[in-house]
Amino acid sequence: MTETVELSEVAPRDGLQSIGAFVPTETKIALVRATYEAGLRRMEVGSFVSPRAVPQMADTGEVLKVAKQLAGLECTVLVPNRKGFEAAMNAGADRLGLFMSVTEAHNKANLNRTREESFADLAAIVREAPKGTRIRFNLSCTFHCPFEGVVPERDALDFIERVVALDPAMEIALADTTGNASPDQVRRVFEQAHKAWGLRFAFHGHDTYGMGLANVAAAWEAGCRIFDAASGGIGGCPFAPGATGNVAMEDVVWLFRRMGVETGVDWQKLLVAADMAAAVPGATPGGAMRRVPAGRLAA
């Protein structure tokens, strides 16, 4: 294997946020540890959002404290505004995932703000974050919106350009929040983004319509080398009607293994983490490899 890929585990955050009943903090920490033991070294461990809007993330500070003790783990917390930023700083976070939507309707549904209000707030955070803070800017609904439909590629690229201008070195994630992007659309957007601004982009995919893995492959072919996924295929955005789980980490790892791409992941330990995630009460697991007998035997 000569090529490598960076994988970011999002089950502790995106995988759990939509579950109604509160998942015990100890369960969240156990999931963080299990995915870490599988070799995953990038992880979204929670988000500093309104506990009224997303009560599942109310204990993010506690989870982050434990996660930061794991050697070599890059643990990110999501932040939608200045209040979340201040809470993250007070909790000792040094890796932030800022987020907003490309479309006006989803931004209002998800964050109760206009796009311009969100962008102004997040731009100020990029400028004012303490030295040494690593920031990734996540763009929800880059390809499709549950309220506005397919996002015109020119509209997506114009908004990406505004984000790039905030910090030329900042990583930017393009998210298929609804899982309704098509592989040709994903390929074109990534090709144009890479051509214009270089290889700074990550792909965050969902599998609502069964196209998650095809979209991962399309982004890879277009030059993307950073991918989000959730062990067990759990998750979904609570403010994107109909959107289901993230693309499953075990499916993504298997795809890259078959392509000869090094992931740094221990396959059997990943299956343990995927089973743990899928067994969380209230979770809606997805993916294929966890359920394929031959896959469970593969080294």
Side-chain angles (χ1 to χ4, degrees):
M1 294 185 181
T2 57
E3 291 193 272
T4 61
V5 64
E6 290 187 57
L7 300 176
S8 177
E9 175 62 67
V10 300
R13 196 277 306 175
D14 201 0
L16 301 179
Q17 66 178 0
S18 296
I19 297 176
F22 188 75
V23 177
T25 304
E26 294 76 13
T27 300
K28 294 171 182 170
I29 291 172
L31 182 56
V32 168
R33 291 187 184 279
T35 52
Y36 174 81
E37 288 298 321
L40 292 156
R41 291 297 181 266
R42 291 185 60 161
M43 197 176 303
E44 287 183 3
V45 300
S47 56
F48 286 97
V49 293
S50 167
R52 293 188 303 276
V54 190
Q56 194 62 255
M57 295 288 102
D59 57 352
T60 289
E62 298 172 69
V63 178
L64 175 64
K65 183 178 180 180
V66 175
K68 289 192 69 174
Q69 297 172 10
L70 299 176
L73 179 62
E74 299 176 3
C75 33
T76 297
V77 293
L78 261 63
V79 168
N81 51 36
R82 178 166 293 280
K83 186 175 182 180
F85 167 65
E86 292 171 353
M89 291 295 96
N90 289 335
D94 54 14
R95 299 183 69 90
L96 306 179
L98 309 184
F99 69 99
M100 63 170 294
S101 301
V102 170
T103 64
E104 188 73 25
H106 186 260
N107 205 72
K108 287 182 177 177
N110 195 29
L111 299 175
N112 196 30
R113 311 180 89 182
T114 67
R115 289 192 311 169
E116 290 308 315
E117 288 171 335
S118 286
F119 187 81
D121 209 8
L122 298 181
I125 291 172
V126 172
R127 292 192 301 269
E128 300 167 15
K131 185 177 181 180
T133 304
R134 296 287 299 276
I135 295 178
R136 178 166 112 162
F137 205 113
N138 299 281
L139 286 174
S140 304
C141 296
T142 300
F143 307 96
H144 180 270
C145 173
F147 310 108
E148 299 182 21
V150 176
V151 177
E153 291 170 24
R154 188 66 260 164
D155 290 357
L157 290 163
D158 286 347
F159 208 83
I160 292 167
E161 185 173 23
R162 294 183 65 188
V163 176
V164 170
L166 296 176
D167 180 355
M170 184 168 57
E171 184 179 300
I172 301 170
L174 309 183
D176 178 23
T177 307
T178 65
N180 203 16
S182 63
D184 60 325
Q185 178 190 20
V186 171
R187 183 180 296 107
R188 286 192 301 270
V189 170
F190 271 95
E191 285 176 344
Q192 293 177 75
H194 288 149
K195 182 178 180 180
W197 304 295
L199 298 175
R200 71 179 75 246
F201 298 96
F203 178 62
H204 177 101
H206 286 246
D207 200 35
T208 310
Y209 296 88
M211 295 190 289
L213 211 57
N215 286 329
V216 168
W220 170 268
E221 291 169 358
C224 181
R225 295 297 181 266
I226 308 168
F227 295 87
D228 293 354
S231 292
I234 63 174
C237 176
F239 304 103
T244 56
N246 295 271
V247 63
M249 180 63 79
E250 58 272 21
D251 290 8
V252 173
V253 168
W254 188 261
L255 171 71
F256 284 124
R257 284 164 59 94
R258 292 288 289 113
M259 292 168 60
V261 177
E262 178 58 55
T263 65
V265 174
D266 182 297
W267 178 247
Q268 295 298 336
K269 290 182 179 179
L270 177 60
L271 291 179
V272 171
D275 286 341
M276 178 184 296
V280 173
T284 53
M289 289 309 301
R290 187 175 54 84
R291 294 185 279 252
V292 176
R296 302 199 71 87
L297 296 174

